[in-house]
Amino acid sequence: MARRIATAVAVGAVLVTVGTAAAVYAANDTDPEPDLPEPDMQTAMHLETDALQGTGLEIPKDWAIVDVRTEHHDERAVTVIRHQPDEMRLGGPHATVVLDAEGTILGYTRLTEEDAGAALLDEAEAERHARNFLRELDPGYLEGLSVNFVQRHDEAITAADGTELTVSGMKVKFHHDGGLYAWVIIGPDGRVLTFERDIAWDSGQGRRGTQMWLHDSWIAAYEGTGPQPDAPYAVAKP
């Protein structure tokens, strides 16, 4: 049975969450999950700084870390680090990074009010920017990728005053020859809005199998504060 044991401890303005959760696997995956380490603020900060260096992925300078948690990315233990301009608030502008113990970036997103409403790049330009980013990040990984599609992708955020905004980019979805998926969402200025890799697909349910730590509606469902999103979102099992 899925379970989550959580304690919340204030560290300055930071909420540190300890969680254990049954991962959502593809139908043929029966590997056990690893034990989760205690989240540690200093370790998380150093891990993130080292991982982002030289990638072009940025966190807005005036945004604080509002949440650090240890969770699972399928069978891998990961640290999820969330930044926001004000307080911890699902649905608001945020920048979130998902890192494994070796500092591999498994997820990154940056959704700001300033990125809403601008004109998008065309498909060829978006793919070029996505490939350039991956070439700098991990050229060996890029060699195993082929493009599935390039298309517009929208994400909704809610400003502090309640205004609902749409942040749009061009999603370049890849399939890796190892069987998993990755994508890069390129913003209007060629900057990476979102990156995810090593994502499993649950063909039996017709939806994503890997957890969704960049997606607030999924997190709300996982924490029991919101409904389960429809497919292709993963099933949220705390």
Side-chain angles (χ1 to χ4, degrees), residues 9-10 22 29 31 36 43 54 59 91 103 121 137 144 154 172 210 223 232 236:
V9 182
D29 193 340
D31 292 340
L36 290 173
T43 299
I59 307 297
L121 301 180
L137 182 71
D154 296 333
V172 186
T210 304
E223 293 180 341

Side-chain angles (χ1 to χ4, degrees), residues 145-198:
L145 296 174
S146 57
V147 174
N148 278 143
F149 62 73
V150 183
Q151 65 184 31
R152 177 180 176 133
H153 180 87
D154 296 333
E155 292 284 350
I157 58 174
T158 303
D161 64 2
T163 302
E164 294 187 359
L165 303 169
T166 300
V167 178
S168 301
M170 294 296 287
K171 181 176 183 177
V172 186
K173 183 177 180 180
F174 297 90
H175 182 257
H176 194 269
D177 56 18
L180 302 178
Y181 294 88
W183 44 82
V184 185
I185 300 176
I186 300 294
D189 58 359
R191 186 173 58 194
V192 174
L193 295 179
T194 299
F195 165 60
E196 293 194 81
R197 64 173 284 179
D198 298 352

Side-chain angles (χ1 to χ4, degrees), residues 43-211:
T43 299
M45 291 174 65
H46 288 303
L47 192 68
E48 181 183 71
T49 298
D50 291 344
L52 296 186
Q53 186 172 7
T55 65
L57 302 178
E58 297 179 346
I59 307 297
K61 293 181 180 179
D62 57 345
W63 287 19
I65 296 177
V66 297
D67 186 67
V68 175
R69 59 199 296 164
T70 53
E71 295 286 359
H72 289 104
H73 179 103
D74 291 331
E75 72 277 7
R76 281 194 248 187
V78 293
T79 300
V80 183
I81 307 164
R82 183 183 178 99
H83 307 249
Q84 291 194 248
D86 38 37
E87 60 186 10
M88 173 65 185
R89 180 168 65 88
L90 291 180
H94 70 103
T96 297
V97 183
V98 181
L99 303 167
D100 70 9
E102 287 71 45
T104 303
I105 302 171
L106 300 177
Y108 163 90
T109 196
R110 171 182 164 144
L111 301 176
T112 74
E113 296 178 35
E114 292 74 22
D115 288 322
L120 302 181
L121 301 180
D122 63 26
E123 293 182 8
E125 277 291 284
E127 183 176 340
R128 182 177 67 83
H129 281 286
R131 288 186 177 276
N132 287 343
F133 162 70
L134 290 167
R135 189 172 295 111
E136 291 294 323
L137 182 71
D138 189 341
Y141 180 66
L142 175 61
E143 289 179 1
L145 296 174
S146 57
V147 174
N148 278 143
F149 62 73
V150 183
Q151 65 184 31
R152 177 180 176 133
H153 180 87
D154 296 333
E155 292 284 350
I157 58 174
T158 303
D161 64 2
T163 302
E164 294 187 359
L165 303 169
T166 300
V167 178
S168 301
M170 294 296 287
K171 181 176 183 177
V172 186
K173 183 177 180 180
F174 297 90
H175 182 257
H176 194 269
D177 56 18
L180 302 178
Y181 294 88
W183 44 82
V184 185
I185 300 176
I186 300 294
D189 58 359
R191 186 173 58 194
V192 174
L193 295 179
T194 299
F195 165 60
E196 293 194 81
R197 64 173 284 179
D198 298 352
I199 303 300
W201 178 256
D202 187 336
S203 57
Q205 297 200 45
R207 62 169 76 230
R208 172 170 164 158
T210 304
Q211 296 91 335

